[in-house]
Structure formats: C-alpha cells, structure tokens
Amino acid sequence: MLTMGQVVEHEPMGNEDQKLRRLVLKGPIAQSARPGQFVAIQVQDSARASLDPLLRRPISIAEISPERDEIALLYRIKGRGTEILAQARCGDKLSVMGPLGNGFSLPKEGELWLIAGGIGIFPLYALAQSALVQELKVRLFWGGENQSFLESAGLLRWQNMELPMYLSTVDGSLGVKGLVIEQVREELLMLFDRSQLEDDMRKKKINVAACGPKRMMKAVTELCGGFQVPVEVSLEERMGCAVGACLGCVCTLLNKAGRPIHKKVCVDGPVFRGEEVVWDETC
Ligand code: FAD
C-alpha cells in the first residue's frame, strides 16, 4: 500500500554519537502491520523538489499502535538517504509503502527467545509486545558494541518489559564481554540434556527469532539447529524497488528437497527459517 505518513515525533535516541533516531508516523499502515514487516520510505529532499535519491529506503516497523494509527521506525543514520530522512520535521508528510514483507511468526505456546545483534534489536520490539499479549514467555539476548550503544538503542524500554535479559558488549562495558551467541549457548546447554533431546524439546517448545549481522544469524541457526530449536531470521539485504520487480535483493535458499532456489527478500522475506538460508552465499 502506498500512503502518506505524517511525522508526529522524530527524535534522536540517546547519545548523539550513535546516530540513532526514532520516527513516529501517523497513517493507515498501523492497522495492518505485523512484527517483522517493514516500510519503504521515500527520502527525497522536498525542499529542493528533487527525485534524488530515487530509491526508497527499507526500515523495519519497530512499534505498532493501531489504536493511535501510529507506527514507529527506529533507524541509524548511515548514508545519504537516512541523512535526508533525519531532517523530516513534525507535521511533514512522507510517502511510505507498506506494510511490506512477511514478518515473524508468533508461536502459539512455549517460549520465544529473541536474539539481536546491534540495531537488529529494532524489529524485535513489536514482536516482544505481541508475544507478551499472547502470554508467551519471552527472553531477550542482545549484543552490541558497548553500554552507550545499548542504552541509546532502547535498553530502558526493554528493561521496563521485565523480561529475562542476557546482555553482552564487545568491550565488556555492560553485560558479559563478548558475543551474544555465547550466552545463548550457555542457556541451551543448561536447559537441554542432549541424551533426552526429543523429550526436552516437546516439553520446552522454544522458538527463536533473530535479527542482526549475518554471521550472528548463521551462528544462531547452527547452534539452535543442534538442539532442534527452530529459528527465524530477518535478512537485511540491500533493496531496490522493495516490491519484487527489480531482483535487487535476491538471495539463495534451499527448498524442501534441499535444492537451491532464489527468493526475493522484499516480498518472500525478510523473515526466513534459518535452516533454509544458504549462508555462505549471503554472508
Ligand atoms: P546508503 O548511502 O544507501 O548506504 C550507506 C552504507 O550502508 C553503504 O556502505 C551501504 O553499502 C550500506 N548499506 C545500505 N543498506 C544496507 C543494508 N540493507 N544492509 C547492509 N548495509 C547496507 N536500518 C535501520 O537503521 N533500522 C531498521 O529498522 C532497518 N530495517 C531494515 C529492514 C530491511 C528489510 C532492510 C532490507 C534494511 C533495513 N535497515 C534498517 C537498513 C537500512 O535500510 C539501510 O541502513 C538504509 O537503507 C541505508 O540508506 P542510506 O541512504 O542512509 O545509506
């Protein structure tokens, strides 16, 4: 759906060095958006009435408030497009396509483990909220560069959800020093007795949703696969049109027979089962 979103809030998040922004848009997308879906937002410089840059920028829908007709996008200023987007002011109307993509699936019961690397945390917030509404047990594993990053990227809001949280930072300034995967490994080893894996699986019913750097999602997929824990990953390929026409975001997956097939991240994804992704081609 192509629509206009009116900017109702647009603020820096935390430490300015992190270049993070929270953009709240009012419009009809909030009525149908699901966690893990994204929008393709036009970032042209309206003051100069220019068509440059031509391509929209894909940003995940981080918060969904149908009762207020609002969605929030959390993003990092990375290059030219997001720099232009950062200049949008309250009251501006932005052209937004969405909601796009498939989104995460919500298990019916059991535990949902959210595993995030860096700004991969952003699409997981709406998923956590939906899971809690359904009374699923949710745990968060989140790794980032340092304390300043985690705090700027919304740590307090996550703490307010009162979930079990496993934090890690590369420099050890908050949580455990190292990579997020290590804490996931420890928890899995604690929960599952390999000698009675089938039995444990039936009882514990854990599902994982992961978003972050591809190497992290690959490691999560491999680790969880060893415990027969299903994983969904959200791929963030560079995109052109975002509607399946330009083939700019094609990636290789395996079909049920184990044969390689090509899928478009924008329309077939961005969420896929980790085990079907051919990681070596996408890393
Ligand atoms: P450009 O000038 O286009 O690029 C700047 C640099 O970033 C270049 O080095 C370029 O190679 C690199 N880059 C651009 N896009 C990507 C990408 N998709 N993956 C890896 N590197 C890239 N970003 C957020 O901050 N928050 C989100 O919630 C979010 N959700 C996304 C959801 C999806 C489905 C996808 C595909 C991407 C998402 N991104 C998100 C990434 C975001 O789209 C890019 O950062 C943005 O398009 C960069 O545009 P730019 O014009 O600022 O930078």
Side-chain angles (χ1 to χ4, degrees), residues 57-58 60 74-76 78-79 81-82 119 236-238:
R57 298 301 193 260
S60 306
L74 311 182
Y75 67 93
R76 170 168 268 161
K78 214 160 170 188
T82 43
I119 61 170
E236 290 200 351
E237 286 301 315
R238 294 215 68 183

Side-chain angles (χ1 to χ4, degrees), residues 189-265:
L189 284 171
M190 225 146 43
L191 274 179
F192 290 104
D193 180 345
R194 279 182 188 273
S195 64
Q196 46 176 34
L197 201 54
E198 292 295 320
D199 206 33
D200 277 2
M201 267 303 296
R202 257 197 310 280
K203 277 191 240 146
K204 291 180 179 130
K205 293 205 174 86
I206 294 171
N207 284 273
V208 165
C211 187
K214 280 182 186 151
R215 279 193 194 117
M216 181 211 89
M217 294 194 288
K218 178 183 183 209
V220 167
T221 301
E222 287 171 357
L223 173 67
C224 293
F227 292 88
Q228 297 173 30
V229 168
V231 176
E232 284 190 340
V233 295
S234 180
L235 299 183
E236 290 200 351
E237 286 301 315
R238 294 215 68 183
M239 268 177 202
C241 69
V243 291
C246 76
L247 308 182
C249 61
V250 165
C251 66
T252 310
L253 291 118
L254 297 176
N255 67 10
K256 281 186 185 145
R259 295 225 175 80
I261 46 165
H262 291 112
K263 295 254 179 175
K264 301 167 198 164
V265 172

Side-chain angles (χ1 to χ4, degrees), residues 67-83:
E67 63 292 345
R68 290 205 303 272
D69 258 351
E70 287 175 6
I71 56 168
L73 313 179
L74 311 182
Y75 67 93
R76 170 168 268 161
I77 301 173
K78 214 160 170 188
R80 186 138 173 275
T82 43
E83 262 161 27

Side-chain angles (χ1 to χ4, degrees), residues 29 32 79 98 155 241 265:
I29 289 176
S32 53
L155 178 60
C241 69
V265 172

